[in-house]
């Protein structure tokens, strides 16, 4: 069940991607990690390095909760590379015997990309917030450094705190980034500001009573007023069941690359997954390039994944077509669909149907009969790109205008079935 080309832990529990950057040519990804398959505990940052965003070397646990300001966990954060150093900004979590919480935004610095020296807190909790204050994301704009931190206000409402700095060490509080009259849930996690081709987007993981989802808003980041001005009501960044806590970074070629947690869901849902019995749980998504098409934000797999294609087969499918394959580590690209009625069945575990502007995706339960499903309306179906990797599925529809991420446990080798209503002329 272990993915072959996704980052996953050798053992233990993986969640949020952290500290993403490219430093001196090498790509760096950290993730929150616990050595055992338990979702709560004193979380660490585990470090992976790559030359190509596909093949990763596990460098082990880099940030461990050993200092007073982080003694109950090194929580999520981001990375920034300068010419001289690699900075990690993260949340130090502190709990007392009665369950009370303290939170500190901390920094660790490296000059080689492997050994990091902790410099302690750079931001203490401002007035107006509860101790649910975490996940610092840092970037540079207009000759200043900026930081957003996911927050819960004293009114128990979600928001995002904004800070500014000229040296990455002393930070000035600029206020709430978001309009408090909107429903942001009871906590905003993992905030991110994305700037692509002059368009700005706010990505935030909203915690609501109805569930926790990563949402993207188009708009404008007003650095003078220190506010994000919304242009829409927001859309799911990924409409699958197993995607949360995404984080982006800009690499040395100027691409904006995003990686998410290929996990999420209620505790019972997570702990019911078959890999728990193997001693590990969850993975990170494949790196995705964010780009603009027709004024909208799209996601596509980074081009580096083309390098690991093997045994490529081109098939003109008409009527009923069966594709046998030796592994469930596979990529399928379906093009020239002409918005016909069409279906894909991956081993009776994952099924995709399109008919009359309706796209339906079904994912088989692993511990009960039946399927979970998600349904969206799209005007036409141009193409579908599907990445399967033993126990994961990532589906990119219409050049990544819509994306769906799922856990999908392929236990039987039954091949891929395609049914289409049109014949090839």
């Amino acid at each position: 069940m272990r993915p072959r080309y996704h980052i996953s832990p050798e053992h233990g529990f993986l969640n949020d991607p952290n500290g993403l950057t490219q430093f001196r040519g090498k790509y760096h990804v950290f993730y929150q990690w616990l050595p055992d398959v338990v979702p709560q505990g004193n979380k660490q940052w585990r470090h992976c390095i790559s030359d190509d965003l596909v093949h990763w070397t596990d460098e082990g646990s880099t940030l461990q909760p050993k200092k007073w300001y982080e003694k109950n966990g090194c929580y999520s954060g981001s990375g920034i590379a300068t010419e001289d150093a690699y900075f990690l900004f993260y949340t130090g979590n502190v709990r007392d015997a009665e369950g009370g919480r303290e939170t500190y935004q901390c920094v660790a610095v490296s000059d080689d990309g492997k050994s990091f020296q902790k410099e302690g807190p750079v931001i203490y909790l401002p007035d107006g917030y509860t101790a649910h204050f975490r996940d610092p994301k840092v970037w540079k704009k207009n000759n200043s450094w900026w930081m957003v931190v996911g927050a819960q206000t004293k009114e128990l409402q979600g928001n995002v705190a904004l800070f500014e700095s000229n040296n990455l060490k002393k930070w000035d509080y600029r206020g709430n980034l978001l309009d408090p009259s909107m429903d942001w849930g009871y906590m905003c996690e993992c905030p991110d500001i994305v700037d692509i081709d002059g368009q700005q987007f706010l990505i935030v993981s909203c915690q609501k009573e109805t569930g926790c989802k990563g949402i993207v808003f188009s708009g404008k980041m007003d650095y003078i007023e220190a506010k994000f001005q919304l242009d829409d009501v927001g859309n799911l960044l990924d409409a699958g069941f197993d995607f949360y806590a995404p984080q982006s970074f800009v690499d040395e070629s100027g691409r904006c690359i995003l990686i998410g947690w290929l996990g999420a869901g209620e505790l019972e849902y997570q702990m019911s997954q078959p890999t728990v019995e193997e001693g590990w749980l969850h993975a990170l998504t494949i790196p995705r390039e964010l780009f603009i098409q027709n004024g909208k934000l799209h996601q596509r797999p980074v081009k580096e994944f083309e390098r690991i294609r093997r045994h490529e087969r081109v098939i003109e499918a008409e009527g009923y077509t069966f594709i046998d394959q030796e592994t469930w580590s596979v990529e399928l690209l379906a093009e020239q669909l002409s918005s016909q009625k069409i279906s894909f069945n991956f081993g009776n575990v994952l099924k995709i149907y399109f008919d009359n502007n309706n796209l339906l995706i079904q994912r088989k339960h692993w511990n009960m009969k039946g399927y979970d499903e998600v349904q969206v309306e799209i005007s036409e179906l141009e193409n579908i790109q599907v990445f399967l990797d033993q126990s994961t599925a990532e589906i990119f529809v219409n050049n990544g205008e819509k994306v769906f991420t799922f856990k999908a446990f392929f236990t039987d080798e039954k091949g891929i079935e395609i049914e289409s209503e049109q014949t090839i002329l």
Side-chain angles (χ1 to χ4, degrees):
M1 290 184 284
R2 183 176 300 282
R4 297 185 178 184
Y5 56 84
H6 287 71
I7 292 176
S8 63
E10 293 183 5
H11 62 91
F13 181 93
L14 169 153
N15 63 330
D16 303 9
N18 296 149
L20 312 183
T21 200
Q22 187 177 15
F23 179 59
R24 296 177 182 167
K26 294 187 179 294
Y27 292 99
H28 295 259
V29 170
F30 297 80
Y31 58 83
Q32 278 195 155
W33 179 66
L34 289 167
D36 299 315
V37 186
V38 291
Q40 300 297 331
N42 295 350
K43 292 181 178 178
Q44 311 173 27
W45 280 29
R46 200 167 178 100
H47 190 189
C48 299
I49 299 178
S50 174
D51 291 320
D52 61 3
L53 290 170
V54 179
H55 304 92
W56 296 91
T57 301
D58 189 328
E59 299 290 332
S61 182
T62 297
L63 293 186
Q64 299 180 23
K66 296 182 176 181
K67 303 291 186 178
W68 67 265
Y69 48 81
E70 58 180 15
K71 70 182 185 68
N72 297 108
C74 296
Y75 279 19
S76 290
S78 59
I80 280 292
T82 67
E83 291 184 2
D84 301 320
Y86 181 8
F87 294 80
L88 298 180
F89 291 89
Y90 66 101
T91 299
N93 182 52
V94 176
R95 305 296 291 270
D96 60 28
E98 289 72 38
R101 183 192 299 265
E102 297 175 10
T103 179
Y104 304 93
Q105 310 316 308
C106 309
V107 65
V109 185
S110 173
D111 59 8
D112 62 5
K114 290 189 175 182
S115 177
F116 288 82
Q117 301 299 317
K118 295 176 182 177
E119 296 188 355
V122 291
I123 292 177
Y124 293 79
L125 183 65
D127 292 337
Y129 301 99
T130 74
H132 289 287
F133 192 84
R134 54 183 176 267
D135 313 333
K137 172 65 192 292
V138 177
W139 73 100
K140 193 172 188 179
K141 186 73 172 181
N142 301 334
N143 296 318
S144 287
W145 294 102
W146 299 87
M147 178 194 292
V148 283
V149 180
Q152 181 186 68
T153 68
K154 286 290 181 63
E155 292 75 31
L156 304 184
Q157 295 176 337
N159 213 302
V160 173
L162 180 66
F163 297 84
E164 183 180 5
S165 174
N166 60 13
N167 60 9
L168 290 172
K169 296 185 177 182
K170 182 181 182 301
W171 293 87
D172 296 321
Y173 174 61
R174 295 294 305 274
N176 276 329
L177 186 72
L178 308 178
D179 182 353
S181 67
M182 288 186 59
D183 179 16
W184 299 100
Y186 59 84
M187 174 67 190
C188 290
E189 294 191 302
C190 305
D192 198 351
I193 302 293
V194 174
D195 193 330
I196 304 174
D197 296 339
Q199 292 186 235
Q200 286 94 50
F201 300 88
L202 165 70
I203 298 173
V204 64
S205 297
C206 291
Q207 291 186 320
K208 298 185 177 183
E209 300 297 339
T210 55
C212 303
K213 296 291 184 181
I215 304 174
V216 58
F217 301 84
S218 64
K220 179 177 176 56
M221 180 63 208
D222 188 331
Y223 289 93
I224 303 299
E225 298 295 328
K227 300 290 183 185
F228 191 88
Q229 309 294 343
L230 299 178
D231 287 343
D232 60 23
V233 296
N235 296 285
L236 290 176
L237 188 60
D238 187 300
F241 303 134
D242 301 286
F243 179 90
Y244 193 65
Q247 184 177 118
S248 73
F249 71 101
V250 177
D251 75 355
E252 292 170 1
S253 70
R255 293 182 299 177
C256 185
I257 297 172
L258 179 136
I259 298 176
W261 175 31
L262 210 163
E266 296 294 330
L267 175 59
E268 182 179 358
Y269 170 81
Q270 294 185 50
M271 299 305 290
S272 72
Q273 295 176 23
T275 67
V276 172
E277 297 182 4
E278 293 189 351
W280 65 278
L281 185 59
H282 300 316
L284 298 183
T285 68
I286 60 174
R288 306 168 179 182
E289 181 183 358
L290 301 182
F291 68 103
I292 305 298
Q293 182 173 314
N294 299 325
K296 295 182 179 180
L297 186 69
H298 287 56
Q299 305 172 59
R300 61 188 169 207
V302 293
K303 62 183 179 181
E304 284 85 347
F305 277 91
E306 297 175 4
R307 301 176 187 171
I308 61 170
R309 289 173 174 166
R310 299 289 185 271
H311 312 299
E312 184 171 334
R313 298 166 65 185
V314 179
I315 298 169
E316 290 188 345
E318 56 179 310
Y320 174 81
T321 302
F322 179 82
I323 303 173
D324 196 7
Q325 84 289 328
E326 298 178 355
T327 173
W328 283 115
S329 182
V330 62
E331 173 192 354
L332 180 140
L333 174 62
E335 299 178 298
Q336 302 177 24
L337 303 180
S338 303
S339 286
Q340 62 183 292
K341 180 179 179 180
I342 190 167
S343 68
F344 302 86
N345 181 353
F346 300 91
N348 289 324
V349 173
L350 185 73
K351 299 179 180 182
I352 304 172
Y353 304 90
F354 178 76
D355 184 21
N356 194 26
N357 299 338
N358 184 64
L359 181 71
L360 173 67
I361 303 176
Q362 296 181 320
R363 192 275 313 272
K364 186 180 180 181
H365 286 301
W366 46 79
N367 60 350
M368 65 180 74
K369 293 182 179 180
Y371 290 79
D372 295 309
E373 63 181 42
V374 60
Q375 190 167 281
V376 297
E377 184 176 322
I378 57 175
S379 58
E380 61 179 341
L381 185 62
E382 299 173 2
N383 53 63
I384 294 180
Q385 191 172 18
V386 181
F387 284 78
L388 308 179
D389 196 9
Q390 305 297 102
S391 57
T392 70
E394 293 169 76
I395 303 167
F396 300 81
V397 175
N398 291 350
N399 300 317
E401 180 180 359
K402 299 284 187 182
V403 185
F404 306 83
T405 298
F406 302 96
K407 294 292 185 67
F409 295 95
F410 299 94
T411 55
D412 299 320
E413 299 295 333
K414 293 183 178 179
I416 302 169
E417 300 173 17
I418 304 172
E419 288 192 53
S420 60
E421 66 177 359
Q422 291 188 353
T423 57
I424 298 173
L425 300 178

Short mmCIF file of all heavy atoms in Angstrom, two decimals, residues 29 62 110 154 163 165 245 265 304 309 383 412:
data_model
loop_
_atom_site.label_atom_id
_atom_site.label_comp_id
_atom_site.label_asym_id
_atom_site.label_seq_id
_atom_site.Cartn_x
_atom_site.Cartn_y
_atom_site.Cartn_z
N VAL A 29 11.36 19.80 1.65
CA VAL A 29 10.00 19.62 2.18
C VAL A 29 10.12 19.00 3.57
O VAL A 29 10.83 18.01 3.76
CB VAL A 29 9.16 18.71 1.27
CG1 VAL A 29 7.85 18.32 1.96
CG2 VAL A 29 8.87 19.38 -0.06
N THR A 62 14.25 16.89 11.99
CA THR A 62 15.11 18.07 12.08
C THR A 62 14.71 18.99 13.22
O THR A 62 15.56 19.45 13.98
CB THR A 62 15.08 18.84 10.75
OG1 THR A 62 15.62 18.01 9.73
CG2 THR A 62 15.89 20.12 10.84
N SER A 110 19.55 27.95 9.04
CA SER A 110 20.59 27.05 8.56
C SER A 110 21.40 27.75 7.49
O SER A 110 20.87 28.52 6.69
CB SER A 110 19.97 25.78 7.99
OG SER A 110 20.94 24.97 7.37
N LYS A 154 -10.70 36.38 20.03
CA LYS A 154 -11.31 36.18 21.35
C LYS A 154 -12.81 35.93 21.23
O LYS A 154 -13.43 35.40 22.17
CB LYS A 154 -11.04 37.42 22.22
CG LYS A 154 -9.61 37.51 22.73
CD LYS A 154 -9.33 36.43 23.76
CE LYS A 154 -7.91 36.49 24.33
NZ LYS A 154 -7.60 37.72 25.07
N PHE A 163 1.72 40.38 9.81
CA PHE A 163 2.90 41.03 10.39
C PHE A 163 3.83 41.48 9.27
O PHE A 163 3.83 40.92 8.17
CB PHE A 163 3.65 40.07 11.31
CG PHE A 163 2.86 39.61 12.50
CD1 PHE A 163 1.99 38.54 12.40
CD2 PHE A 163 3.00 40.24 13.73
CE1 PHE A 163 1.26 38.11 13.50
CE2 PHE A 163 2.28 39.81 14.84
CZ PHE A 163 1.41 38.75 14.73
N SER A 165 8.07 42.91 8.51
CA SER A 165 9.42 42.99 9.05
C SER A 165 10.38 43.45 7.96
O SER A 165 10.13 43.23 6.77
CB SER A 165 9.87 41.62 9.57
OG SER A 165 11.22 41.64 9.97
N ALA A 245 -4.53 21.48 4.45
CA ALA A 245 -3.30 22.16 4.89
C ALA A 245 -2.28 22.35 3.77
O ALA A 245 -1.09 22.09 3.94
CB ALA A 245 -2.66 21.38 6.05
N GLY A 265 -9.73 14.54 7.61
CA GLY A 265 -10.93 13.82 8.02
C GLY A 265 -11.01 13.61 9.52
O GLY A 265 -10.05 13.87 10.26
N GLU A 304 8.28 17.61 -13.97
CA GLU A 304 9.31 16.61 -13.65
C GLU A 304 8.75 15.19 -13.61
O GLU A 304 9.50 14.21 -13.79
CB GLU A 304 9.98 16.94 -12.31
CG GLU A 304 10.97 18.08 -12.37
CD GLU A 304 10.34 19.46 -12.23
OE1 GLU A 304 9.10 19.57 -12.33
OE2 GLU A 304 11.08 20.44 -12.00
N ARG A 309 7.92 8.37 -16.36
CA ARG A 309 6.99 7.54 -17.13
C ARG A 309 7.74 6.34 -17.70
O ARG A 309 8.81 6.46 -18.28
CB ARG A 309 6.36 8.35 -18.26
CG ARG A 309 5.36 9.38 -17.78
CD ARG A 309 4.91 10.27 -18.93
NE ARG A 309 3.84 11.19 -18.53
CZ ARG A 309 3.47 12.24 -19.23
NH1 ARG A 309 4.06 12.51 -20.38
NH2 ARG A 309 2.49 13.02 -18.81
N ASN A 383 -10.38 17.04 -20.80
CA ASN A 383 -9.38 16.02 -20.51
C ASN A 383 -9.39 15.67 -19.04
O ASN A 383 -9.88 16.43 -18.20
CB ASN A 383 -7.98 16.49 -20.95
CG ASN A 383 -7.63 17.85 -20.38
OD1 ASN A 383 -7.53 18.02 -19.16
ND2 ASN A 383 -7.44 18.84 -21.26
N ASP A 412 -6.96 -5.35 -5.40
CA ASP A 412 -7.13 -6.36 -6.44
C ASP A 412 -6.62 -5.81 -7.76
O ASP A 412 -6.84 -4.65 -8.10
CB ASP A 412 -8.61 -6.75 -6.59
CG ASP A 412 -9.18 -7.35 -5.31
OD1 ASP A 412 -8.45 -8.12 -4.66
OD2 ASP A 412 -10.32 -7.02 -4.95
#
